Amino acid sequence: MENVLRPLLVVGGSLVLTLVLGWLVDVLLRRADARHSETPLWGLLRRCRPPLQVVLGTALLGATYTQIRVDAVRDHRAVIGQTLTLVLIAASAWLVLRVAATIVESSYARYAAASRDAARVRRVRTQVTLIQRVVTAVVATVAIAAMLLTFPEMRTVGTSMLASAGVVGIVAGVAAQSTLGNLFAGFQIAFGDMVRLGDTVVVNGEWGTVDEITLTFLTVRTWDERRITMPVSYFTSQPFENWSRGGAQMSGTVYFQLDHSAPVAEMRDALRDILGECAAWDGRNWSLAVTDTTPTTMEVRAVVTAKDADDIWTVRCAVREQLIVWLRAHHPYALPRVTTAPASLPPQEHWAALTGADAVRSPVGNGKVPDRDRNPRTGRG
């Protein structure tokens, strides 16, 4: 009878005590969250309940499993103890990572709610994301090392590895030179404020938004939902455009190739009316001017402003579309066209010099060239 009750008491008691302690911690966190509603930390810490219960349950079983007077447990005591130790180390690492992620998320949420500067918020978000990744890598490495050191064979291997750690470190440093370069470049990006999550950048001729930053690579999401993955060292060694640097406000241009007879003044009035109805225009500035001419057309440039890169694209498209529609409806002659009318003839003296014909005045003396001399001589009869 004792062989049945003792295992039930040990395992069942550990399980019940684990559930009770987890419930008590959850109740305390809910009360703290209700009292301090200004910070989300206490509510977010409730996510740590599963790893906490695993740690408590494993620790209780590790302390009491030796009291089970069963032959199977007594014969495999070393294996059971080793397994419980490995589970405890893994659960402890899980708990540490969950607590660290909760603290980082709570701090970022409070800062984002209190700050009105979007650029600073993106900078802090980039930094805390990279810090969280570093903490995850360190905790995972320490946990794996601790789990390996629980095996007696690994302790002997570890002693021999320490003797050759210098040589191995040099070889690993040379072999992982590119990886280490990207790692340090990631820290430089995080704390040097070169590029942040959510920044609008142009790299290799591609326009997009920084979607993800890790310790080794960076992902840019383009306007057509493609993802460009690049090593972070690119942003510390190559020039790139950061449209969000120094503020998200932007100016954009729209060019029109029009006939010389286009009514520029009326186009300005039409542009003002179009921008007044465009929700993406921020109202800061606008202008329209003739910036260049060619023998057949003139170049008209419209300048508009918006609060960010997405809105400036919307404004430019709206201005381009609606101004062309307005020109086609009210001033179609202003659109570019191919001239097919005959050219005007030069004065009599110039025509005689070009064709080699004698300048013969008409009887009425109006200075016109006779019909027989109006066409140039080609030497073909």
Side-chain angles (χ1 to χ4, degrees), residues 94-166:
W94 183 20
L95 179 61
V96 171
L97 291 177
R98 186 64 66 87
V99 172
T102 299
I103 295 175
V104 167
E105 185 177 351
S106 174
S107 302
Y108 171 72
R110 292 188 63 183
Y111 184 85
S115 178
R116 297 182 179 179
D117 190 344
R120 288 181 177 270
V121 172
R122 290 199 305 271
R123 177 182 180 182
V124 172
R125 179 186 174 190
T126 303
Q127 293 176 352
V128 298
T129 300
L130 291 179
I131 291 174
Q132 184 175 350
R133 293 181 185 275
V134 171
V135 172
T136 301
V138 171
V139 172
T141 302
V142 172
I144 293 174
M147 294 171 69
L148 292 176
L149 291 177
T150 59
F151 297 93
E153 297 80 2
M154 293 302 299
R155 296 176 184 174
T156 305
V157 174
T159 303
S160 60
M161 289 177 62
L162 289 175
S164 57

Side-chain angles (χ1 to χ4, degrees), residues 272-286:
R272 182 178 62 249
D273 296 338
I274 292 171
L275 292 177
E277 298 177 358
C278 183
W281 181 55
D282 62 357
R284 287 189 297 119
N285 191 20
W286 69 276

Side-chain angles (χ1 to χ4, degrees), residues 170-194:
I170 295 175
V171 174
V174 174
Q177 183 177 2
S178 176
T179 302
L180 292 176
N182 285 325
L183 181 64
F184 288 110
F187 284 107
Q188 186 176 354
I189 286 177
F191 298 98
D193 198 25
M194 300 171 56

Side-chain angles (χ1 to χ4, degrees), residues 178-295:
S178 176
T179 302
L180 292 176
N182 285 325
L183 181 64
F184 288 110
F187 284 107
Q188 186 176 354
I189 286 177
F191 298 98
D193 198 25
M194 300 171 56
V195 62
R196 299 154 298 197
L197 290 172
D199 279 3
T200 302
V201 297
V202 178
V203 290
N204 289 338
E206 296 282 354
W207 178 91
T209 304
V210 178
D211 192 52
E212 183 182 6
I213 299 178
T214 68
L215 294 178
T216 56
F217 67 89
L218 185 148
T219 302
V220 177
R221 176 172 52 86
T222 61
W223 65 272
D224 54 355
E225 301 300 330
R226 290 181 293 117
R227 301 298 193 277
I228 302 176
T229 302
M230 315 181 70
V232 292
S233 58
Y234 175 90
F235 292 86
T236 59
S237 59
Q238 300 291 332
F240 66 96
E241 296 182 30
N242 189 342
W243 290 8
S244 302
R245 183 78 175 179
Q249 295 178 340
M250 296 193 66
S251 297
T253 57
V254 181
Y255 290 95
F256 299 92
Q257 300 294 331
L258 303 176
D259 188 79
H260 292 98
S261 60
V264 178
E266 296 182 28
M267 285 186 65
R268 289 194 184 96
D269 297 336
L271 176 61
R272 182 178 62 249
D273 296 338
I274 292 171
L275 292 177
E277 298 177 358
C278 183
W281 181 55
D282 62 357
R284 287 189 297 119
N285 191 20
W286 69 276
S287 65
L288 188 139
V290 178
T291 56
D292 198 5
T293 59
T294 67

